[in-house]
Amino acid sequence: MSNNLDKLEVNLEENISNSINKFNDLLDNLSGLSNSKINDILWKLRADLELLIIEFKFVLEKENRTERWQTSFKEELKGTSSKQKAIMMLESYRKSNQEIQTIFEKKPEQSFRYFWELKETISSILSAFPVQKIEWSNGGMKKVSRDVFKI
């Protein structure tokens, strides 16, 4: 069993690294991306974080229940539809891959919390990057913006 747990931890470390790399890459390239592309990347990152959190729970042997700090964080979390505020919120989570790996090795519970809070923050700011759709109207193309996710 210990060998399987070691494999899970190695897999978790790889997934942590991949998630941080994707997140930092997004932050580095925000200015050159359309809102639709940012929205798409955030949705994919959020899904990856959801799976990462499940892996954390298994490795840390956490029960599947909401903890007090999670409830407090959700109550205090203020989403935004402002692109500038959303970018500032995302930037506040920027950490290097090495920093996250060190936290994971020394304090895995803190690393779990970081990724859980990042996932919730992403959910709260998705409306700041609306998806633009193109529809045909009166024989021409027209961009149409619709809310994809509301909190």
Side-chain angles (χ1 to χ4, degrees):
M1 181 70 177
S2 177
N3 193 25
N4 286 339
L5 191 56
D6 290 341
K7 288 179 185 177
L8 285 172
E9 284 188 33
V10 168
N11 189 43
L12 181 58
E13 286 179 26
E14 287 176 21
N15 291 338
I16 286 170
S17 179
N18 289 339
S19 294
I20 283 298
N21 286 338
K22 286 178 188 176
F23 180 63
N24 286 336
D25 187 49
L26 170 65
L27 292 177
D28 291 341
N29 296 302
L30 270 173
S31 62
L33 299 173
S34 69
N35 284 346
S36 294
K37 184 65 176 168
I38 295 169
N39 186 289
D40 185 48
I41 293 169
L42 286 173
W43 270 107
K44 288 176 184 169
L45 180 60
R46 188 188 177 291
D48 290 345
L49 292 174
E50 195 72 58
L51 294 174
L52 187 65
I53 288 165
I54 291 168
E55 289 180 62
F56 262 110
K57 285 183 177 182
F58 188 78
V59 168
L60 296 175
E61 299 177 356
K62 295 183 80 51
E63 293 182 32
N64 198 17
R65 62 180 176 84
T66 304
E67 297 181 30
R68 185 175 298 138
W69 64 265
Q70 290 172 310
T71 303
S72 297
F73 182 82
K74 277 188 167 182
E75 287 173 359
E76 295 170 12
L77 181 63
K78 301 285 188 250
T80 184
S81 59
S82 162
K83 186 174 181 176
Q84 287 305 99
K85 286 182 184 177
I87 290 171
M88 286 178 18
M89 289 171 74
L90 291 174
E91 282 287 349
S92 72
Y93 285 94
R94 186 187 285 267
K95 294 196 182 303
S96 72
N97 206 334
Q98 184 60 40
E99 185 178 3
I100 289 295
Q101 291 296 338
T102 301
I103 293 170
F104 175 69
E105 290 168 10
K106 294 181 179 177
K107 299 178 183 176
E109 184 76 32
Q110 185 179 346
S111 188
F112 166 77
R113 185 174 179 157
Y114 166 83
F115 285 107
W116 185 89
E117 287 180 2
L118 177 58
K119 176 189 67 85
E120 292 300 319
T121 300
I122 288 171
S123 296
S124 75
I125 56 101
L126 279 167
S127 63
F129 307 99
V131 174
Q132 290 186 346
K133 304 231 182 233
I134 298 175
E135 292 181 354
W136 284 98
S137 176
N138 296 328
M141 291 190 331
K142 175 183 166 187
K143 288 185 180 181
V144 178
S145 180
R146 292 193 180 110
D147 289 335
V148 175
F149 185 78
K150 288 188 178 182
I151 293 184

